[in-house]
């Protein structure tokens, strides 16, 4: 299919707010690069994406990851369920988590998700601002063990 890949290891829900170089990322192409905040290395603007990681296929989390994860301040997650039937598509709200209960779904955006059998593809817009970023987890299990493996 005609999709791009979101592959950067820092997207994982187990990653902290800053990477080892003290950088934070956002999925906002027009962001004027600052001293700590940068456009994600794998973000190519609005379009269709598949999440991948060192151990294989990833997906967006379906529960709030908490603030300060995925190498950003406001971590993006799917408020709802992914389509369960291969070939099915659905429109979902993606929320950005600022931590407290009332702030788990700040500045949500609408996105489309298609079930491609072994993986999902996401039609993602630019995020509203830095520091907002789309998060991923390994294989949809929520265990997300490959981030720890990367740092061994």
């Amino acid at each position: 299919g005609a999709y791009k890949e979101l592959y950067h290891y820092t997207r994982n829900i187990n990653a902290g707010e800053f990477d080892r170089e003290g950088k934070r990322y956002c999925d906002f192409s027009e962001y004027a690069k600052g001293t700590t905040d940068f456009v994600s290395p794998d973000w190519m603007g609005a379009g269709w994406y598949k999440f991948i990681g060192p151990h294989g296929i990833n997906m967006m989390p379906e529960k709030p990851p908490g603030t300060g994860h995925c190498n950003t301040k406001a971590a993006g997650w799917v408020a709802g369920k992914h389509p369960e039937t291969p070939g099915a598509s659905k429109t979902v709200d993606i929320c950005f988590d600022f931590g407290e209960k009332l702030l788990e779904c700040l500045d949500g955006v609408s996105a489309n998700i298609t079930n491609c059998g072994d993986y999902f593809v996401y039609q993602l817009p630019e995020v509203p601002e830095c520091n907002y970023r789309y998060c991923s987890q390994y294989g949809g299990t929520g265990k997300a063990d490959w981030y720890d493996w990367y740092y061994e």
Side-chain angles (χ1 to χ4, degrees):
Y3 57 80
K4 305 170 194 106
E5 292 181 337
L6 293 175
Y7 58 83
H8 207 257
Y9 68 93
T10 59
R11 286 188 181 277
N12 187 267
I13 57 173
N14 289 344
E17 185 169 350
F18 297 93
D19 70 6
R20 290 176 290 186
E21 298 170 4
K23 293 180 178 177
R24 274 192 309 207
Y25 296 109
C26 64
D27 295 327
F28 187 62
S29 301
E30 302 303 312
Y31 183 67
K33 293 171 182 61
T35 51
T36 52
D37 301 325
F38 298 87
V39 177
S40 302
D42 53 0
W43 180 250
M44 309 289 287
W48 286 93
Y49 288 90
K50 173 186 176 183
F51 287 89
I52 61 167
H55 289 186
I57 296 161
N58 285 4
M59 64 185 281
M60 288 189 72
E62 292 179 346
K63 58 181 190 260
T67 189
H69 288 275
C70 316
N71 256 179
T72 196
K73 182 71 175 170
W77 58 285
V78 174
K81 296 285 183 197
H82 287 65
E84 295 178 10
T85 309
S89 296
K90 71 185 289 192
T91 301
V92 298
D93 289 324
I94 294 179
C95 293
F96 297 95
D97 190 351
F98 273 93
E100 294 99 32
K101 195 72 179 158
L102 293 174
L103 301 178
E104 285 177 349
C105 194
L106 208 62
D107 296 335
V109 297
S110 182
N112 291 308
I113 304 176
T114 298
N115 182 326
C116 292
D118 293 332
Y119 60 92
F120 297 100
V121 290
Y122 302 78
Q123 188 179 26
L124 300 172
E126 297 271 356
V127 299
E129 59 182 281
C130 269
N131 264 302
Y132 295 39
R133 193 183 195 201
Y134 299 114
C135 283
S136 68
Q137 64 184 33
Y138 176 61
T141 63
K143 295 282 187 283
D145 63 339
W146 62 264
Y147 182 80
D148 297 325
W149 164 83
Y150 182 89
Y151 278 97
E152 281 174 7

mmCIF file of all heavy atoms in Angstrom, residues 13-47:
data_model
loop_
_atom_site.group_PDB
_atom_site.id
_atom_site.type_symbol
_atom_site.label_atom_id
_atom_site.label_comp_id
_atom_site.label_asym_id
_atom_site.label_seq_id
_atom_site.Cartn_x
_atom_site.Cartn_y
_atom_site.Cartn_z
ATOM 1 N N ILE A 13 5.573 3.549 24.078
ATOM 2 C CA ILE A 13 4.932 4.052 25.304
ATOM 3 C C ILE A 13 5.840 3.961 26.520
ATOM 4 O O ILE A 13 5.634 4.667 27.498
ATOM 5 C CB ILE A 13 3.584 3.332 25.599
ATOM 6 C CG1 ILE A 13 3.781 1.821 25.711
ATOM 7 C CG2 ILE A 13 2.546 3.684 24.555
ATOM 8 C CD1 ILE A 13 2.535 1.072 26.155
ATOM 9 N N ASN A 14 6.861 3.094 26.495
ATOM 10 C CA ASN A 14 7.774 2.978 27.626
ATOM 11 C C ASN A 14 8.889 4.020 27.602
ATOM 12 O O ASN A 14 9.634 4.142 28.569
ATOM 13 C CB ASN A 14 8.399 1.582 27.670
ATOM 14 C CG ASN A 14 7.379 0.536 28.076
ATOM 15 O OD1 ASN A 14 6.320 0.861 28.594
ATOM 16 N ND2 ASN A 14 7.683 -0.718 27.819
ATOM 17 N N ALA A 15 9.023 4.741 26.490
ATOM 18 C CA ALA A 15 10.047 5.780 26.413
ATOM 19 C C ALA A 15 9.639 6.962 27.286
ATOM 20 O O ALA A 15 8.455 7.251 27.440
ATOM 21 C CB ALA A 15 10.238 6.236 24.965
ATOM 22 N N GLY A 16 10.619 7.653 27.837
ATOM 23 C CA GLY A 16 10.342 8.812 28.674
ATOM 24 C C GLY A 16 10.080 10.063 27.858
ATOM 25 O O GLY A 16 9.873 9.999 26.642
ATOM 26 N N GLU A 17 10.083 11.206 28.523
ATOM 27 C CA GLU A 17 9.783 12.465 27.836
ATOM 28 C C GLU A 17 10.944 12.921 26.949
ATOM 29 O O GLU A 17 10.729 13.499 25.889
ATOM 30 C CB GLU A 17 9.462 13.556 28.855
ATOM 31 C CG GLU A 17 9.032 14.862 28.218
ATOM 32 C CD GLU A 17 8.459 15.858 29.211
ATOM 33 O OE1 GLU A 17 8.217 15.485 30.378
ATOM 34 O OE2 GLU A 17 8.247 17.008 28.821
ATOM 35 N N PHE A 18 12.184 12.638 27.371
ATOM 36 C CA PHE A 18 13.370 13.051 26.617
ATOM 37 C C PHE A 18 14.195 11.832 26.233
ATOM 38 O O PHE A 18 14.241 10.846 26.979
ATOM 39 C CB PHE A 18 14.233 13.996 27.470
ATOM 40 C CG PHE A 18 13.555 15.278 27.821
ATOM 41 C CD1 PHE A 18 12.859 15.401 29.015
ATOM 42 C CD2 PHE A 18 13.583 16.369 26.958
ATOM 43 C CE1 PHE A 18 12.222 16.590 29.356
ATOM 44 C CE2 PHE A 18 12.950 17.559 27.283
ATOM 45 C CZ PHE A 18 12.269 17.672 28.480
ATOM 46 N N ASP A 19 14.869 11.891 25.081
ATOM 47 C CA ASP A 19 15.752 10.795 24.707
ATOM 48 C C ASP A 19 17.124 11.001 25.348
ATOM 49 O O ASP A 19 17.324 11.920 26.143
ATOM 50 C CB ASP A 19 15.824 10.622 23.185
ATOM 51 C CG ASP A 19 16.576 11.749 22.479
ATOM 52 O OD1 ASP A 19 17.152 12.630 23.153
ATOM 53 O OD2 ASP A 19 16.582 11.748 21.235
ATOM 54 N N ARG A 20 18.078 10.146 24.993
ATOM 55 C CA ARG A 20 19.399 10.196 25.625
ATOM 56 C C ARG A 20 20.149 11.486 25.315
ATOM 57 O O ARG A 20 21.080 11.844 26.018
ATOM 58 C CB ARG A 20 20.227 8.990 25.192
ATOM 59 C CG ARG A 20 19.708 7.683 25.776
ATOM 60 C CD ARG A 20 20.472 6.503 25.258
ATOM 61 N NE ARG A 20 20.181 6.257 23.850
ATOM 62 C CZ ARG A 20 20.636 5.216 23.161
ATOM 63 N NH1 ARG A 20 21.418 4.333 23.747
ATOM 64 N NH2 ARG A 20 20.317 5.063 21.894
ATOM 65 N N GLU A 21 19.751 12.181 24.253
ATOM 66 C CA GLU A 21 20.390 13.443 23.878
ATOM 67 C C GLU A 21 19.630 14.651 24.419
ATOM 68 O O GLU A 21 19.945 15.784 24.086
ATOM 69 C CB GLU A 21 20.506 13.534 22.356
ATOM 70 C CG GLU A 21 21.368 12.436 21.751
ATOM 71 C CD GLU A 21 21.275 12.399 20.236
ATOM 72 O OE1 GLU A 21 20.601 13.275 19.643
ATOM 73 O OE2 GLU A 21 21.879 11.495 19.644
ATOM 74 N N GLY A 22 18.601 14.399 25.243
ATOM 75 C CA GLY A 22 17.824 15.491 25.816
ATOM 76 C C GLY A 22 16.826 16.112 24.858
ATOM 77 O O GLY A 22 16.377 17.235 25.053
ATOM 78 N N LYS A 23 16.433 15.370 23.810
ATOM 79 C CA LYS A 23 15.485 15.882 22.816
ATOM 80 C C LYS A 23 14.083 15.358 23.086
ATOM 81 O O LYS A 23 13.896 14.236 23.565
ATOM 82 C CB LYS A 23 15.903 15.442 21.403
ATOM 83 C CG LYS A 23 17.190 16.051 20.911
ATOM 84 C CD LYS A 23 17.493 15.532 19.507
ATOM 85 C CE LYS A 23 18.757 16.152 18.948
ATOM 86 N NZ LYS A 23 19.078 15.587 17.625
ATOM 87 N N ARG A 24 13.096 16.210 22.749
ATOM 88 C CA ARG A 24 11.687 15.816 22.702
ATOM 89 C C ARG A 24 11.233 15.972 21.250
ATOM 90 O O ARG A 24 11.729 16.833 20.540
ATOM 91 C CB ARG A 24 10.819 16.731 23.556
ATOM 92 C CG ARG A 24 10.720 16.366 24.986
ATOM 93 C CD ARG A 24 9.638 17.129 25.699
ATOM 94 N NE ARG A 24 9.692 18.564 25.504
ATOM 95 C CZ ARG A 24 9.223 19.451 26.373
ATOM 96 N NH1 ARG A 24 8.675 19.041 27.494
ATOM 97 N NH2 ARG A 24 9.276 20.740 26.140
ATOM 98 N N TYR A 25 10.228 15.166 20.858
ATOM 99 C CA TYR A 25 9.770 15.196 19.478
ATOM 100 C C TYR A 25 8.273 15.492 19.380
ATOM 101 O O TYR A 25 7.503 15.241 20.305
ATOM 102 C CB TYR A 25 10.052 13.857 18.792
ATOM 103 C CG TYR A 25 11.524 13.545 18.691
ATOM 104 C CD1 TYR A 25 12.090 12.538 19.467
ATOM 105 C CD2 TYR A 25 12.347 14.252 17.816
ATOM 106 C CE1 TYR A 25 13.439 12.240 19.372
ATOM 107 C CE2 TYR A 25 13.694 13.959 17.715
ATOM 108 C CZ TYR A 25 14.239 12.959 18.497
ATOM 109 O OH TYR A 25 15.568 12.670 18.406
ATOM 110 N N CYS A 26 7.872 16.006 18.203
ATOM 111 C CA CYS A 26 6.453 16.181 17.907
ATOM 112 C C CYS A 26 6.208 15.887 16.426
ATOM 113 O O CYS A 26 7.129 15.917 15.616
ATOM 114 C CB CYS A 26 5.979 17.595 18.258
ATOM 115 S SG CYS A 26 6.739 18.905 17.285
ATOM 116 N N ASP A 27 4.959 15.565 16.097
ATOM 117 C CA ASP A 27 4.561 15.261 14.719
ATOM 118 C C ASP A 27 3.901 16.483 14.098
ATOM 119 O O ASP A 27 2.728 16.467 13.725
ATOM 120 C CB ASP A 27 3.624 14.043 14.701
ATOM 121 C CG ASP A 27 4.339 12.788 15.174
ATOM 122 O OD1 ASP A 27 5.552 12.663 14.926
ATOM 123 O OD2 ASP A 27 3.685 11.929 15.778
ATOM 124 N N PHE A 28 4.663 17.543 14.011
ATOM 125 C CA PHE A 28 4.177 18.846 13.544
ATOM 126 C C PHE A 28 5.243 19.418 12.612
ATOM 127 O O PHE A 28 6.237 19.980 13.045
ATOM 128 C CB PHE A 28 3.936 19.752 14.760
ATOM 129 C CG PHE A 28 3.283 21.066 14.459
ATOM 130 C CD1 PHE A 28 2.007 21.114 13.909
ATOM 131 C CD2 PHE A 28 3.934 22.256 14.736
ATOM 132 C CE1 PHE A 28 1.397 22.339 13.648
ATOM 133 C CE2 PHE A 28 3.332 23.483 14.480
ATOM 134 C CZ PHE A 28 2.060 23.519 13.927
ATOM 135 N N SER A 29 5.030 19.251 11.309
ATOM 136 C CA SER A 29 6.050 19.561 10.306
ATOM 137 C C SER A 29 6.514 21.007 10.320
ATOM 138 O O SER A 29 7.667 21.302 10.029
ATOM 139 C CB SER A 29 5.531 19.236 8.899
ATOM 140 O OG SER A 29 5.196 17.874 8.813
ATOM 141 N N GLU A 30 5.596 21.925 10.627
ATOM 142 C CA GLU A 30 5.917 23.345 10.525
ATOM 143 C C GLU A 30 6.590 23.898 11.777
ATOM 144 O O GLU A 30 6.843 25.087 11.874
ATOM 145 C CB GLU A 30 4.641 24.160 10.244
ATOM 146 C CG GLU A 30 3.913 23.742 8.969
ATOM 147 C CD GLU A 30 4.809 23.821 7.743
ATOM 148 O OE1 GLU A 30 5.484 24.853 7.559
ATOM 149 O OE2 GLU A 30 4.873 22.827 6.988
ATOM 150 N N TYR A 31 6.887 23.023 12.727
ATOM 151 C CA TYR A 31 7.456 23.508 13.981
ATOM 152 C C TYR A 31 8.848 24.074 13.760
ATOM 153 O O TYR A 31 9.704 23.441 13.145
ATOM 154 C CB TYR A 31 7.507 22.380 15.014
ATOM 155 C CG TYR A 31 8.011 22.842 16.357
ATOM 156 C CD1 TYR A 31 7.265 23.732 17.115
ATOM 157 C CD2 TYR A 31 9.230 22.426 16.852
ATOM 158 C CE1 TYR A 31 7.714 24.180 18.343
ATOM 159 C CE2 TYR A 31 9.692 22.860 18.084
ATOM 160 C CZ TYR A 31 8.925 23.744 18.822
ATOM 161 O OH TYR A 31 9.378 24.182 20.037
ATOM 162 N N ALA A 32 9.067 25.290 14.259
ATOM 163 C CA ALA A 32 10.404 25.901 14.211
ATOM 164 C C ALA A 32 11.247 25.250 15.294
ATOM 165 O O ALA A 32 10.933 25.365 16.475
ATOM 166 C CB ALA A 32 10.303 27.399 14.415
ATOM 167 N N LYS A 33 12.272 24.561 14.897
ATOM 168 C CA LYS A 33 13.061 23.763 15.834
ATOM 169 C C LYS A 33 13.618 24.615 16.971
ATOM 170 O O LYS A 33 14.194 25.668 16.755
ATOM 171 C CB LYS A 33 14.189 23.054 15.095
ATOM 172 C CG LYS A 33 13.678 22.003 14.129
ATOM 173 C CD LYS A 33 14.794 21.471 13.247
ATOM 174 C CE LYS A 33 14.276 20.460 12.245
ATOM 175 N NZ LYS A 33 13.276 20.992 11.330
ATOM 176 N N GLY A 34 13.422 24.120 18.177
ATOM 177 C CA GLY A 34 13.917 24.817 19.352
ATOM 178 C C GLY A 34 15.171 24.144 19.885
ATOM 179 O O GLY A 34 15.826 23.377 19.182
ATOM 180 N N THR A 35 15.471 24.400 21.131
ATOM 181 C CA THR A 35 16.666 23.811 21.728
ATOM 182 C C THR A 35 16.430 22.396 22.237
ATOM 183 O O THR A 35 17.333 21.583 22.248
ATOM 184 C CB THR A 35 17.165 24.692 22.889
ATOM 185 O OG1 THR A 35 16.071 24.947 23.768
ATOM 186 C CG2 THR A 35 17.721 26.001 22.386
ATOM 187 N N THR A 36 15.200 22.095 22.648
ATOM 188 C CA THR A 36 14.903 20.745 23.130
ATOM 189 C C THR A 36 13.841 20.048 22.287
ATOM 190 O O THR A 36 13.743 18.829 22.316
ATOM 191 C CB THR A 36 14.391 20.757 24.593
ATOM 192 O OG1 THR A 36 13.308 21.676 24.701
ATOM 193 C CG2 THR A 36 15.494 21.149 25.550
ATOM 194 N N ASP A 37 13.037 20.798 21.544
ATOM 195 C CA ASP A 37 11.902 20.215 20.827
ATOM 196 C C ASP A 37 12.178 20.171 19.323
ATOM 197 O O ASP A 37 12.568 21.174 18.734
ATOM 198 C CB ASP A 37 10.636 21.031 21.097
ATOM 199 C CG ASP A 37 10.314 21.077 22.587
ATOM 200 O OD1 ASP A 37 10.576 20.068 23.261
ATOM 201 O OD2 ASP A 37 9.811 22.107 23.054
ATOM 202 N N PHE A 38 11.917 18.998 18.742
ATOM 203 C CA PHE A 38 12.243 18.770 17.338
ATOM 204 C C PHE A 38 11.107 18.013 16.649
ATOM 205 O O PHE A 38 10.380 17.262 17.290
ATOM 206 C CB PHE A 38 13.525 17.941 17.222
ATOM 207 C CG PHE A 38 14.730 18.621 17.800
ATOM 208 C CD1 PHE A 38 15.033 18.485 19.147
ATOM 209 C CD2 PHE A 38 15.555 19.401 17.011
ATOM 210 C CE1 PHE A 38 16.139 19.117 19.695
ATOM 211 C CE2 PHE A 38 16.672 20.034 17.548
ATOM 212 C CZ PHE A 38 16.966 19.894 18.893
ATOM 213 N N VAL A 39 10.996 18.181 15.329
ATOM 214 C CA VAL A 39 10.050 17.385 14.550
ATOM 215 C C VAL A 39 10.558 15.940 14.550
ATOM 216 O O VAL A 39 11.762 15.698 14.387
ATOM 217 C CB VAL A 39 9.930 17.929 13.113
ATOM 218 C CG1 VAL A 39 8.990 17.062 12.283
ATOM 219 C CG2 VAL A 39 9.435 19.372 13.127
ATOM 220 N N SER A 40 9.652 14.983 14.734
ATOM 221 C CA SER A 40 10.034 13.569 14.769
ATOM 222 C C SER A 40 10.806 13.191 13.504
ATOM 223 O O SER A 40 10.411 13.570 12.408
ATOM 224 C CB SER A 40 8.786 12.686 14.866
ATOM 225 O OG SER A 40 8.036 13.002 16.020
ATOM 226 N N PRO A 41 11.895 12.405 13.661
ATOM 227 C CA PRO A 41 12.705 12.035 12.494
ATOM 228 C C PRO A 41 11.925 11.253 11.431
ATOM 229 O O PRO A 41 12.274 11.301 10.257
ATOM 230 C CB PRO A 41 13.805 11.158 13.090
ATOM 231 C CG PRO A 41 13.827 11.455 14.540
ATOM 232 C CD PRO A 41 12.453 11.900 14.914
ATOM 233 N N ASP A 42 10.885 10.533 11.846
ATOM 234 C CA ASP A 42 10.138 9.704 10.892
ATOM 235 C C ASP A 42 8.819 10.339 10.434
ATOM 236 O O ASP A 42 8.076 9.729 9.672
ATOM 237 C CB ASP A 42 9.863 8.319 11.494
ATOM 238 C CG ASP A 42 9.190 8.378 12.857
ATOM 239 O OD1 ASP A 42 8.917 9.495 13.361
ATOM 240 O OD2 ASP A 42 8.938 7.300 13.431
ATOM 241 N N TRP A 43 8.510 11.557 10.884
ATOM 242 C CA TRP A 43 7.249 12.211 10.512
ATOM 243 C C TRP A 43 7.401 12.905 9.166
ATOM 244 O O TRP A 43 8.272 13.741 8.985
ATOM 245 C CB TRP A 43 6.820 13.201 11.591
ATOM 246 C CG TRP A 43 5.527 13.895 11.268
ATOM 247 C CD1 TRP A 43 5.340 15.205 10.928
ATOM 248 C CD2 TRP A 43 4.224 13.296 11.238
ATOM 249 N NE1 TRP A 43 4.014 15.460 10.701
ATOM 250 C CE2 TRP A 43 3.305 14.310 10.874
ATOM 251 C CE3 TRP A 43 3.739 12.008 11.474
ATOM 252 C CZ2 TRP A 43 1.935 14.069 10.752
ATOM 253 C CZ3 TRP A 43 2.375 11.774 11.349
ATOM 254 C CH2 TRP A 43 1.497 12.792 10.999
ATOM 255 N N MET A 44 6.535 12.546 8.208
ATOM 256 C CA MET A 44 6.610 13.083 6.850
ATOM 257 C C MET A 44 5.375 13.913 6.499
ATOM 258 O O MET A 44 5.031 14.049 5.332
ATOM 259 C CB MET A 44 6.745 11.927 5.847
ATOM 260 C CG MET A 44 7.844 10.936 6.185
ATOM 261 S SD MET A 44 9.495 11.603 5.943
ATOM 262 C CE MET A 44 9.567 11.624 4.171
ATOM 263 N N GLY A 45 4.689 14.428 7.513
ATOM 264 C CA GLY A 45 3.484 15.204 7.261
ATOM 265 C C GLY A 45 2.247 14.326 7.258
ATOM 266 O O GLY A 45 2.330 13.093 7.359
ATOM 267 N N ALA A 46 1.081 14.956 7.149
ATOM 268 C CA ALA A 46 -0.185 14.223 7.181
ATOM 269 C C ALA A 46 -0.210 13.151 6.100
ATOM 270 O O ALA A 46 0.273 13.362 4.990
ATOM 271 C CB ALA A 46 -1.348 15.195 6.997
ATOM 272 N N GLY A 47 -0.786 11.990 6.430
ATOM 273 C CA GLY A 47 -0.872 10.897 5.457
ATOM 274 C C GLY A 47 -1.118 9.565 6.137
ATOM 275 O O GLY A 47 -1.423 9.497 7.331
#
